[in-house]
Amino acid sequence: MPLLQRSPTRRQGEKFEHLARQFLEKQGLHFIAGNVNFKCGELDLIMQEQETIVFVEVRQRKNHAFGGAVESVDWRKQQRWLDAANMWLAERGLSLEDADCRFDLVAFGKNADEIQWLANFLDD
């Protein structure tokens, strides 16, 4: 049986998720899991900073014709992110209401040198 080929887009995403993980680990966060999929959405990275669980969305945009990486996280994406985090927490007997957690965005431009870390991205 032939192996499934990953699309160039998927390979590109994996590259930037790996770079984001390395960046966050240098900032003192610890890796828990990556590419966690649920029917409602995906969690790119799950990290931990002290006692806080950090759900990380990794975005990359080569150009800004349709907005940059930060602007690409619209309300639909935010809702899928929250739903997936709640599913992950529920598997551990927790919820968004009682867990010490936050949602961070790591956004890249054209290359790995253009990195922006937005902690508490979903806070008002």
Side-chain angles (χ1 to χ4, degrees), residues 1-81:
M1 185 188 282
L3 293 174
L4 292 175
Q5 295 289 325
R6 292 188 321 269
S7 73
T9 302
R10 182 67 234 154
R11 287 194 306 269
Q12 182 82 349
E14 290 170 353
K15 170 188 166 188
F16 281 97
E17 287 166 8
H18 179 73
L19 292 170
R21 175 183 170 179
Q22 288 180 319
F23 172 82
L24 292 171
E25 286 176 333
K26 286 179 183 173
Q27 309 307 312
L29 282 74
H30 299 281
F31 178 76
I32 297 174
N35 293 314
V36 179
N37 289 289
F38 295 98
K39 192 173 187 177
C40 59
E42 177 189 7
L43 298 168
D44 293 335
L45 294 172
I46 304 169
M47 306 289 288
Q48 187 166 356
E49 185 174 45
Q50 298 173 9
E51 299 302 315
T52 304
I53 299 166
V54 183
F55 298 102
V56 182
E57 176 68 15
V58 180
R59 303 296 269 196
Q60 189 264 336
R61 292 292 179 266
K62 291 180 185 176
N63 65 56
H64 297 277
F66 298 102
V70 173
E71 293 82 14
S72 72
V73 185
D74 63 12
W75 69 270
R76 284 185 192 108
K77 175 59 188 164
Q78 291 176 26
Q79 190 59 54
R80 289 192 305 268
W81 193 5

Side-chain angles (χ1 to χ4, degrees), residues 103-123:
F103 295 82
D104 290 6
L105 175 68
V106 176
F108 290 94
K110 285 185 180 184
N111 57 55
D113 296 336
E114 298 176 30
I115 186 169
Q116 187 177 13
W117 177 24
L118 301 168
N120 293 305
F121 182 74
L122 297 185
D123 283 357

